[in-house]
Amino acid sequence: MNKNNNKTYVSIHTILIATALIPINIYWNVQMELVRYSGLPTTISLFFNVVFNLLILSLLNIGIKRFLDRTLFKRGELSIIYIVLSIASGIGGHSMMQILPPMLGHPFWFATEENDWKNLFWKHIPSWLSVNDKSVLKGYYEGGPLYNIQHLKVWIIPIATWSVFIFVVLLIMLCINIIIRRQWVENEKLSYPIIQLPLEMTSPNFFSNRM
């Protein structure tokens, strides 16, 4: 028996759609959480922006099934899109990337003689983790030529360093998840109530279920 028969493959269009939806969701989150400061989707465990995307894709799937007698996404593919958008929203959300970039230059831009930040903690902040050039920070805080080669050279090292750190943290969290998965899922059979709604929404019978 060919063992490969039991494998499930993700289609290219699923990966492309998930990737295309990431910047749209990040922009949506930034507008709600920073610009308008309302909704705050990533401050609750069930990100409603991702649930909304799943709702639209599920309805699209049903429409294509009805008129073309085929489905655009399998149930597993909808789940993958949900997972990808949830992770991306968490990274770009209220308590992570919306906080980290402003902090890279905050101690230097807002340092004054009165608060004496220069003597208090500048020496404790590595240059490769922050942006300490006020001429570069001026474009960031006051508006101006931020995206030029001279400014980007200053930003690139802190951004790259923090990107590696965040990647490692996420990888560690994934490894921990893999370690505890069998105990929690197979042995203790935890129900994970937060995932129940998205999981049911990927079912073809979700919208016809009157319960």
Side-chain angles (χ1 to χ4, degrees), residues 94-210:
H94 186 274
S95 299
M96 198 165 184
M97 294 308 294
Q98 294 179 21
I99 301 298
L100 178 58
M103 292 296 101
L104 298 184
H106 189 97
F108 305 97
W109 180 256
F110 292 100
T112 63
E113 293 183 1
E114 290 76 15
N115 59 37
D116 199 28
W117 285 0
K118 180 177 181 179
N119 295 320
L120 284 175
F121 52 75
W122 273 20
K123 59 186 176 182
H124 301 296
I125 304 176
S127 59
W128 43 273
L129 284 178
S130 59
V131 179
N132 53 25
D133 188 337
K134 280 199 170 184
S135 63
V136 173
L137 291 172
K138 184 175 182 180
Y140 180 78
Y141 285 101
E142 296 183 353
L146 175 63
Y147 299 105
N148 59 47
I149 190 64
Q150 290 78 15
H151 290 178
L152 292 178
K153 284 181 179 179
V154 178
W155 281 91
I156 191 66
I157 294 179
I159 290 176
T161 305
W162 280 107
S163 297
V164 172
F165 173 76
I166 292 171
F167 174 80
V168 172
V169 170
L170 293 174
L171 180 61
I172 292 173
M173 294 172 66
L174 178 61
C175 293
I176 294 174
N177 186 49
I178 293 173
I179 292 172
I180 64 178
R181 185 203 64 83
R182 175 172 294 181
Q183 176 64 25
W184 284 6
V185 175
E186 298 181 9
N187 297 336
E188 299 183 21
K189 300 186 184 302
L190 300 183
S191 60
Y192 298 101
I194 293 175
I195 197 60
Q196 294 306 313
L197 174 61
L199 186 62
E200 289 300 321
M201 289 177 65
T202 62
S203 172
N205 302 321
F206 175 74
F207 294 98
S208 60
N209 189 345
R210 297 181 181 274

Side-chain angles (χ1 to χ4, degrees), residues 26 29-30 33 42 86-98:
I26 297 301
N29 288 341
V30 169
E33 297 180 338
T42 62
S86 294
I87 294 174
S89 296
I91 295 174
H94 186 274
S95 299
M96 198 165 184
M97 294 308 294
Q98 294 179 21

Side-chain angles (χ1 to χ4, degrees), residues 56-73:
I56 298 300
L57 293 176
S58 298
L59 291 174
L60 180 63
N61 222 25
I62 293 174
I64 293 177
K65 175 66 175 178
R66 175 170 297 181
F67 294 104
L68 301 180
D69 196 27
R70 60 183 297 268
T71 56
L72 183 61
F73 304 104

